[in-house]
Amino acid sequence: MSTPSLEAAISVFYRYGLRDASDAALAKALNTTEPDLAAQFPSRELLVHQVMLADMECQKREHVALYVQYSSAVERLYGLLQLGLRDLAAVPGQYYGDLQTGFPLTWDAVMEQLNSYSPPSFNSCSTTKLVAICFVNTLIFNCLPRYCLSSST
């Protein structure tokens, strides 16, 4: 199941829901068979957990690529905002609520990521820029998902 990666299942979960996505749709997105999917992930909880971990790693890779692409702190900050808004627009309103109530271990892993993750370091930032960057990162990675969760319930 190396091509495509587990990240391909995210769009299926967004479209159908974490519980309602069929094994057939997930297997197709992951370029595998239903029996192979069931053998590798004997529970929906395990599949959701592994898909979320893969998605978080994908986001980290996107941040690294962004930091390579842009050299200034302002460009990087703007890029992070764009990525955050893109991701928020893609996630259905009920998704985080379903994740929290139906998959508590995965929800805990997501919350740990949100509370501990720091994008790649900025080079040569002034203190003022660094404070602004930290504020925006906190907003994107902590407040907005929680706002989406509270507004969807």
Side-chain angles (χ1 to χ4, degrees), residues 21-89:
S22 70
D23 288 346
L26 289 163
K28 182 177 180 182
L30 296 171
N31 198 29
T32 191
T33 64
E34 287 182 63
D36 287 345
L37 181 69
Q40 189 167 0
F41 302 102
S43 69
R44 181 58 58 111
E45 289 77 12
L46 180 59
L47 176 60
V48 168
H49 191 78
Q50 292 302 314
V51 167
M52 288 303 298
L53 292 177
D55 185 56
M56 288 187 285
E57 289 302 314
C58 176
Q59 290 176 16
K60 289 178 187 178
R61 288 189 307 274
E62 286 180 332
H63 293 171
V64 169
L66 179 108
Y67 283 50
V68 168
Q69 180 181 358
Y70 299 117
S71 60
S72 78
V74 172
E75 291 172 312
R76 290 173 175 176
L77 180 60
Y78 183 69
L80 285 172
L81 282 169
Q82 286 180 315
L83 289 176
L85 292 172
R86 178 207 65 195
D87 292 345
L88 285 173

Side-chain angles (χ1 to χ4, degrees), residues 60 63-64 67 80 112-122 130 133-134 137 141:
K60 289 178 187 178
H63 293 171
V64 169
Y67 283 50
L80 285 172
E112 175 61 27
Q113 170 76 5
L114 290 173
N115 290 322
S116 65
Y117 175 69
S118 176
S121 63
F122 285 84
L130 193 55
I133 291 162
C134 290
N137 284 340
F141 296 110

Side-chain angles (χ1 to χ4, degrees), residues 73 77 122 126-139:
L77 180 60
F122 285 84
S126 70
T127 303
T128 305
K129 287 180 185 175
L130 193 55
V131 168
I133 291 162
C134 290
F135 171 76
V136 171
N137 284 340
T138 300
L139 176 68

